[in-house]
Amino acid sequence: MFLLINFSLILVFTALFVGAKEIANPCKNPKIDAIIWSSKLRKNTSLLIFNQNYFYEFDFENEELGEGRRINEVWSQIKTPIDGATALRLLINKTSMKFFEEEIMFFKDPKYWVYKSKEKYDKNEELIRSGIFKFYGVHNNHIHKSLSFTLSRKNPRSPYRTIYTGINNMYFVCGSLERKQIRMNEYEMVIGDPSLNSTDLAPNVNECKSYGKKYGDLIGDVEKRLYMNRLYLIHVNEKALVIAYSDDSGTTFKTVQMKKSHFLMLK
Ligand SMILES: *[C@@H]1O[C@H](CO)[C@@H](O)[C@H](O)[C@H]1NC(C)=O
Ligand SMILES: *[C@@H]1O[C@H](CO)[C@@H](O)[C@H](O)[C@H]1NC(C)=O
Ligand SMILES: *[C@@H]1O[C@H](CO)[C@@H](O)[C@H](O)[C@H]1NC(C)=O
């Protein structure tokens, strides 16, 4: 009898252990927390998709979802589930589709973490820096999700960047400045301060300005990038990964084409 109980306990533990190893299941909680469209990955149609404690490589061209990996196995400092992620990326040559991209950033309101952008991620990637987002004005009870940046063309390493972010599920564009906090080994990202004035920011980019609901509810994350001579805007809401692109090859979305992929339906 005793042996039998012991044996069944071992079985239960084994089942739990096997179960724990197999919970990289995007259908369990089919919601996308964040996406990264990195120019460093081998495939230019690959997104990194973040869901709860795991991330996946997703090819939006042939709609293939790769194996799940634990986020904290690669980037151990990040608190999951995250609220946004992005590659700090700038297209520097349109003809050869060359990008400047050295870093990726993760965001969980109000904290962020910066790591090296790579073609492949190993276990325990080294943290470059971390800090907190400081939205200008009183936004304490606002929901902050989603993250995307445009770097300065003149000076891609400038701490002044144009940020695209979601405030209460609406898409906003604001100026931002990243600076080291005095007496602390931490940074802060000042966002939407009307006094931000630098030649590294486009004219009139400082205060947060809303895009309204032009692209629907922005529940999750967003990535914006030129690809195949079209400006792509990929965003996630509660139900879908929405891929929109302009057909005018410019920076506006006068003609928007939509392409939808439902995460729930992917296996
Ligand atoms: C951009 O890339 C093209 C093709 O590789 C090259 O001919 C051109 O000189 C590059 N332009 C600049 C500004 O570097
Ligand atoms: C920004 O600063 C420049 C010079 O530092 C100044 O000429 C310009 O008027 C300022 N712009 C605003 C909007 O304050
Ligand atoms: C996408 O990647 C393929 C293969 O690496 C390359 O041949 C192609 O030029 C890339 N296209 C764009 C638009 O970057």
Side-chain angles (χ1 to χ4, degrees):
M1 185 63 188
F2 185 68
L3 260 179
L4 195 68
I5 288 170
N6 256 347
F7 184 62
S8 52
L9 271 179
I10 289 168
L11 274 185
V12 168
F13 274 118
T14 314
L16 278 178
F17 186 67
V18 170
K21 279 199 101 175
E22 286 177 351
I23 53 172
N25 176 6
C27 302
K28 196 174 154 198
N29 193 336
K31 177 185 158 295
I32 300 172
D33 300 320
I35 49 174
I36 290 182
W37 192 3
S38 168
S39 60
K40 289 275 170 92
L41 292 182
R42 275 157 300 128
K43 284 213 71 177
N44 41 26
T45 51
S46 268
L47 301 174
L48 294 181
I49 286 186
F50 296 83
N51 166 250
Q52 300 287 103
N53 302 324
Y54 289 85
F55 74 101
Y56 305 81
E57 202 172 313
F58 175 62
D59 183 348
F60 67 77
E61 205 57 44
N62 49 27
E63 310 212 327
E64 269 173 19
L65 190 71
E67 288 282 306
R69 289 180 72 189
R70 258 195 110 80
I71 295 171
N72 285 144
E73 188 187 290
V74 179
W75 305 283
S76 63
Q77 290 84 2
I78 301 173
K79 301 277 179 293
T80 56
I82 58 174
D83 289 324
T86 192
L88 295 173
R89 184 189 57 233
L90 177 77
L91 182 64
I92 47 176
N93 187 328
K94 213 171 151 177
T95 318
S96 59
M97 285 306 282
K98 240 179 113 71
F99 289 87
F100 171 93
E101 185 191 313
E102 294 181 339
E103 297 174 335
I104 52 172
M105 187 185 281
F106 297 93
F107 169 57
K108 186 179 180 72
D109 196 16
K111 285 217 69 172
Y112 70 89
W113 299 267
V114 179
Y115 297 86
K116 195 169 178 211
S117 178
K118 294 168 83 174
E119 186 186 327
K120 264 194 182 135
Y121 295 101
D122 307 319
K123 281 189 178 178
N124 294 316
E125 290 287 336
E126 197 179 327
L127 180 71
I128 298 175
R129 62 186 183 277
S130 64
I132 53 163
F133 274 24
K134 283 204 154 169
F135 284 89
Y136 183 84
V138 186
H139 291 296
N140 280 343
N141 50 6
H142 287 189
I143 301 163
H144 297 117
K145 271 180 191 294
S146 155
L147 186 61
S148 182
F149 285 98
T150 297
L151 309 183
S152 162
R153 194 150 292 281
K154 268 183 299 165
N155 177 15
R157 288 191 185 88
S158 169
Y160 287 92
R161 307 177 187 105
T162 303
I163 182 173
Y164 301 86
T165 187
I167 305 172
N168 283 356
N169 302 334
M170 285 226 278
Y171 192 38
F172 278 83
V173 57
C174 329
S176 78
L177 169 64
E178 188 179 25
R179 62 186 177 202
K180 198 160 185 173
Q181 284 182 290
I182 308 152
R183 292 186 294 120
M184 276 196 181
N185 199 22
E186 280 250 304
Y187 284 73
E188 63 180 14
M189 185 83 72
V190 179
I191 297 165
D193 184 340
S195 70
L196 286 182
N197 177 16
S198 157
T199 50
D200 289 340
L201 284 170
N204 301 318
V205 172
N206 43 37
E207 268 182 287
C208 289
K209 292 175 191 76
S210 173
Y211 279 78
K213 298 261 177 181
K214 195 171 168 189
Y215 309 110
D217 262 6
L218 186 76
I219 307 282
D221 206 4
V222 62
E223 279 282 51
K224 189 166 148 265
R225 162 172 155 187
L226 197 73
Y227 173 65
M228 301 283 281
N229 262 334
R230 287 165 166 159
L231 186 72
Y232 271 67
L233 186 113
I234 302 185
H235 82 264
V236 261
N237 60 38
E238 235 158 27
K239 295 181 200 82
L241 175 82
V242 181
I243 301 173
Y245 55 80
S246 68
D247 250 346
D248 47 20
S249 76
T251 50
T252 60
F253 283 92
K254 274 186 205 133
T255 340
V256 176
Q257 304 293 327
M258 292 289 196
K259 193 176 162 183
K260 277 193 186 189
S261 306
H262 295 268
F263 198 44
L264 248 177
M265 289 160 67
L266 301 170
K267 285 265 155 61

